[in-house]
Amino acid sequence: MRILLVGAAGTLGGAVRKALTDRGHAVIGVGRSGGDLVADVTRPDEVARLYAEAGPLDAVAVTAGDAVFRPLAELTADDFAATFRGKALSQLDLVRQGAAHLPPHGSFTLVSGILTEEPIAAGAAASAANGAVEAFVRAAAIEHPPQRVNAVSPTVVEESLPAYGPFFPGIEPVPAARVATAYVRSIEGAQTGRVYRVW
């Protein structure tokens, strides 16, 4: 398959890219500042350009999304807007615009996260955005057959503990390679409307 991978340069993105290429897939990595293709997917015009440049695709997968972490009492309307744009709206638009660019057997795999169900202090905006992604996956799945729409919900990955570990006290991390297997399952499988939890 020919797969567009948004966030390919990140920790999780690198593990997903390796898992997919090891299985013989062609992966086109997308990043905001580098990659096979460069695009800011928080901008609908950039998403349109991305699809125009990518050429024929069988699947789209997302491994990254920006969120603001700040105590609830300190979160501003702009913080919530930035988080929804960076984590939720960007992914929703990749599906909205991408449906016309993928074949009937095509699939989308989005990313949410453990904060949907296991919130942490200063993570309210991220929890809300993750919940929006998961609700969208279930709704989009009933409107897009035979195209499929799923999400992967990872916990904190071991490789990111130096940066994010303090935010997740008592939450057991998993290797990025284990999270990558959920992407393989979503892309190569037959299910739709699923959230694959890797906790």
Side-chain angles (χ1 to χ4, degrees), residues 83-110:
T83 299
F84 269 80
R85 186 170 55 250
K87 187 67 186 279
L89 296 179
S90 57
Q91 296 193 81
L92 275 54
D93 203 46
L94 282 164
V95 176
R96 181 185 70 83
Q97 295 197 47
H101 295 272
L102 265 63
H105 68 266
S107 72
F108 298 89
T109 302
L110 309 183

Side-chain angles (χ1 to χ4, degrees), residues 12 15 155 159 172-183 197-199:
L12 178 56
T155 185
E159 294 86 343
E172 185 176 355
V174 299
R178 184 176 159 209
V179 181
T181 63
Y183 280 84
R197 290 172 173 79
V198 189
W199 298 356

Side-chain angles (χ1 to χ4, degrees), residues 63-191:
T63 60
D66 295 332
V68 176
F69 289 85
R70 190 170 291 160
L72 182 58
E74 299 175 15
L75 282 168
T76 67
D78 287 343
D79 291 334
F80 275 107
T83 299
F84 269 80
R85 186 170 55 250
K87 187 67 186 279
L89 296 179
S90 57
Q91 296 193 81
L92 275 54
D93 203 46
L94 282 164
V95 176
R96 181 185 70 83
Q97 295 197 47
H101 295 272
L102 265 63
H105 68 266
S107 72
F108 298 89
T109 302
L110 309 183
V111 64
S112 59
I114 193 171
L115 299 187
T116 309
E117 297 181 33
E118 297 290 343
I120 60 172
S127 291
N130 284 347
V133 170
E134 294 187 11
F136 172 78
V137 162
R138 290 187 287 270
I142 68 173
E143 295 195 47
H144 275 288
Q147 289 181 350
R148 298 180 300 106
V149 186
N150 296 305
V152 173
S153 174
T155 185
V156 62
V157 298
E158 289 179 355
E159 294 86 343
S160 296
L161 283 179
Y164 297 106
F167 292 101
F168 294 87
I171 295 179
E172 185 176 355
V174 299
R178 184 176 159 209
V179 181
T181 63
Y183 280 84
V184 172
R185 182 180 179 189
S186 176
I187 292 167
E188 295 187 7
Q191 294 174 314

